[in-house]
Amino acid sequence: MRVLSGIQSSGTLHLGNYYGAMRQHLELQHEHDCFYFIANYHSLTTIQDGSRLRELTFHVAASYLALGLDPARVTFFRQSDVPEVTELAWILATVTGKGLLDRAHSFKDKVARGLPVSMGLYCYPLLMAADILIYRSQIVPVGQDQLQHIEMTQDMAQYFNNTYGQVFIRPEPRLSEAPVVPGIDGQKMSKSYGNTIDLFADPQVVCKRIMSIKTDSTPVEAPKDPTRCTVFALLKLLASPEEVQEWEVRYRAGGMGYGEAKARLADLYEQTFGPYREAYGRWLARPDDVEDILRTGGRRARVVAQEVMDEVRSACGIVTARA
Ligand code: AMP
Ligand code: TRP
């Protein structure tokens, strides 16, 4: 099966990215033909500083490698190394009704929060659909916030096929076991909400962040509801199932303070991500190797994209002088 996913290079990666998407990506690399890329064209909708975007792109690449992405198994590349996706995004725009894009939740959220709204942000789902369709992707593993974008991709594939004949296959989303990871304030963890716990942060900084997780004011002696607690939601991601069960019993029994659960969460974070942080440091010291990996992946991905684009152009009657 062709599995594809992308992550923007628009900030520091956090536990939401890892448990919502990246962990699944890394598991799937053992069983499927995986294409993973850094969505640097998408990132231009938020990062408009050239050196910062270059740096973040390199950091996302180093992060995936540190977490165990095997470039011999995965086609790992930068979105911009396959410029045909922007061409496909345009062609999809011509068969897609404006109403579909008007309904995009993530766009509407940004408008509601008063953020500046560029045409790039509005057209974001078109480029994402092009990313997915150009590699004939069958499975797209993502967090819950991306589900609607994948449904829109299914619609766009259908619009194109209805107009020009069967060219695209229908991709299906796949959610991880943690489709929405909460941040330290209990809302969805997101770099734009400032509530993240980062993947490779300094242990002291993380410890402080964990200690500041918002909890309710139930006294230590009283029983607590684990299903309403952010600390417990994060423990569930990091602890073994047996340990999670023990915490659940302790929450419900009372006599346990949230501070204790937070301290354990900080320990587990260090156990899990300490070794990855070291690996990340080692990749940061090898920029040329990272660049080679991305270029090799980009060449492989482009071969597939060019074949599909030949079919697309031929179906719509676009004649080019290109070989
Ligand atoms: P982004 O950083 O927006 O490119 O997101 C990369 C991937 O991480 C996408 O598949 C998102 O759905 C996923 N993701 C981001 N934040 C969360 C979260 N709080 N919970 C679950 N998945 C998330
Ligand atoms: N929009 C995705 C996000 O913010 C990133 C992305 C871009 C993507 N293109 C994609 C994810 C294609 C999956 C498939 O998380």
Side-chain angles (χ1 to χ4, degrees), residues 15-34:
L15 294 183
N17 295 129
Y18 182 71
Y19 289 104
M22 297 172 93
R23 185 166 67 162
Q24 227 202 147
H25 300 166
L26 295 164
E27 282 164 8
L28 291 166
Q29 71 178 332
H30 302 293
E31 301 152 45
H32 295 286
D33 175 17
C34 296

Side-chain angles (χ1 to χ4, degrees), residues 4-8 37 39 42 79 124 127-128 131-132 140-142 145-146 149-150:
L4 169 129
S5 198
I7 287 211
Q8 294 190 69
F37 67 93
H42 277 114
Q79 188 180 34
Y124 188 110
L127 182 58
M128 180 156 164
D131 287 327
I132 296 171
V140 187
V142 287
D145 57 359
Q146 298 301 315
H149 287 150
I150 298 175

Side-chain angles (χ1 to χ4, degrees), residues 7 11-19 22-23 26 56-69 189 196-207 209 269-270 272-284:
I7 287 211
T12 312
L13 295 173
H14 51 72
L15 294 183
N17 295 129
Y18 182 71
Y19 289 104
M22 297 172 93
R23 185 166 67 162
L26 295 164
L56 286 170
T57 305
F58 168 57
H59 286 184
V60 173
S63 304
Y64 258 119
L65 292 164
L67 292 167
L69 181 141
M189 189 178 287
T196 60
I197 297 173
D198 293 341
L199 285 187
F200 308 115
D202 182 71
Q204 272 106 35
V205 173
V206 171
C207 202
R209 298 287 280 175
Y269 172 92
E270 193 48 29
T272 313
F273 293 101
Y276 290 139
R277 184 192 309 120
E278 285 170 23
Y280 179 62
R282 290 193 292 275
W283 278 108
L284 289 184

Side-chain angles (χ1 to χ4, degrees), residues 3-320:
V3 174
L4 169 129
S5 198
I7 287 211
Q8 294 190 69
S9 43
S10 54
T12 312
L13 295 173
H14 51 72
L15 294 183
N17 295 129
Y18 182 71
Y19 289 104
M22 297 172 93
R23 185 166 67 162
Q24 227 202 147
H25 300 166
L26 295 164
E27 282 164 8
L28 291 166
Q29 71 178 332
H30 302 293
E31 301 152 45
H32 295 286
D33 175 17
C34 296
F35 277 44
Y36 298 139
F37 67 93
I38 304 166
N40 55 350
Y41 280 139
H42 277 114
S43 305
L44 288 174
T45 59
T46 48
I47 305 290
Q48 298 187 331
D49 168 338
S51 59
R52 176 97 179 114
L53 185 62
R54 255 188 298 276
E55 182 183 65
L56 286 170
T57 305
F58 168 57
H59 286 184
V60 173
S63 304
Y64 258 119
L65 292 164
L67 292 167
L69 181 141
D70 178 356
R73 284 179 182 275
V74 172
T75 301
F76 183 45
F77 61 105
R78 271 180 297 243
Q79 188 180 34
S80 56
D81 283 332
V82 186
E84 285 81 4
V85 288
T86 59
E87 181 185 356
L88 180 57
W90 172 257
I91 293 176
L92 292 174
T94 63
V95 292
T96 302
K98 176 171 169 289
L100 187 80
L101 295 176
D102 288 338
R103 289 192 289 278
H105 303 312
S106 84
F107 177 76
K108 286 198 285 191
D109 279 358
K110 288 186 175 128
V111 175
R113 283 192 284 133
L115 297 174
V117 177
S118 66
M119 282 309 292
L121 195 63
Y122 185 71
C123 295
Y124 188 110
L126 291 164
L127 182 58
M128 180 156 164
D131 287 327
I132 296 171
L133 298 175
I134 207 165
Y135 305 110
R136 298 201 193 289
S137 316
Q138 293 161 288
I139 301 177
V140 187
V142 287
Q144 171 116 25
D145 57 359
Q146 298 301 315
L147 267 190
Q148 192 198 23
H149 287 150
I150 298 175
E151 286 159 15
M152 293 166 87
T153 303
Q154 295 170 337
D155 290 343
M156 291 183 214
Q158 192 68 50
Y159 301 147
F160 185 93
N161 290 347
N162 288 345
T163 311
Y164 294 112
Q166 187 71 30
V167 171
F168 294 124
I169 58 168
R170 180 184 163 91
E172 296 296 337
R174 176 170 313 180
L175 290 180
S176 74
E177 281 153 37
V180 186
V181 175
I184 60 171
D185 58 357
Q187 288 190 81
K188 183 190 92 159
M189 189 178 287
S190 164
K191 47 205 159 206
S192 45
Y193 301 159
N195 63 358
T196 60
I197 297 173
D198 293 341
L199 285 187
F200 308 115
D202 182 71
Q204 272 106 35
V205 173
V206 171
C207 202
K208 265 206 194 133
R209 298 287 280 175
I210 291 177
M211 292 305 162
S212 68
I213 294 174
K214 225 164 99 185
T215 47
D216 62 24
S217 52
T218 320
V220 172
E221 325 72 70
K224 299 178 179 61
D225 181 354
T227 62
R228 298 165 62 105
C229 175
T230 305
V231 185
F232 184 79
L234 295 174
L235 275 173
K236 256 171 99 175
L237 300 175
L238 281 106
S240 67
E242 298 74 38
E243 185 178 345
V244 173
Q245 219 167 16
E246 283 167 29
W247 281 107
E248 184 164 0
V249 171
R250 294 197 56 204
Y251 264 73
R252 295 197 192 280
M256 179 216 75
Y258 289 119
E260 223 188 302
K262 287 178 177 179
R264 178 61 185 149
L265 183 59
D267 278 354
L268 285 166
Y269 172 92
E270 193 48 29
Q271 267 174 38
T272 313
F273 293 101
Y276 290 139
R277 184 192 309 120
E278 285 170 23
Y280 179 62
R282 290 193 292 275
W283 278 108
L284 289 184
R286 298 170 57 190
D288 295 344
D289 294 335
V290 174
E291 181 60 29
D292 274 353
I293 289 169
L294 293 175
R295 283 190 187 196
T296 305
R299 277 194 293 271
R300 276 212 304 258
R302 199 164 182 203
V303 171
V304 179
Q306 283 177 332
E307 272 171 28
V308 175
M309 280 314 289
D310 284 345
E311 245 187 84
V312 168
R313 289 192 208 100
S314 147
C316 12
I318 292 291
V319 180
T320 66

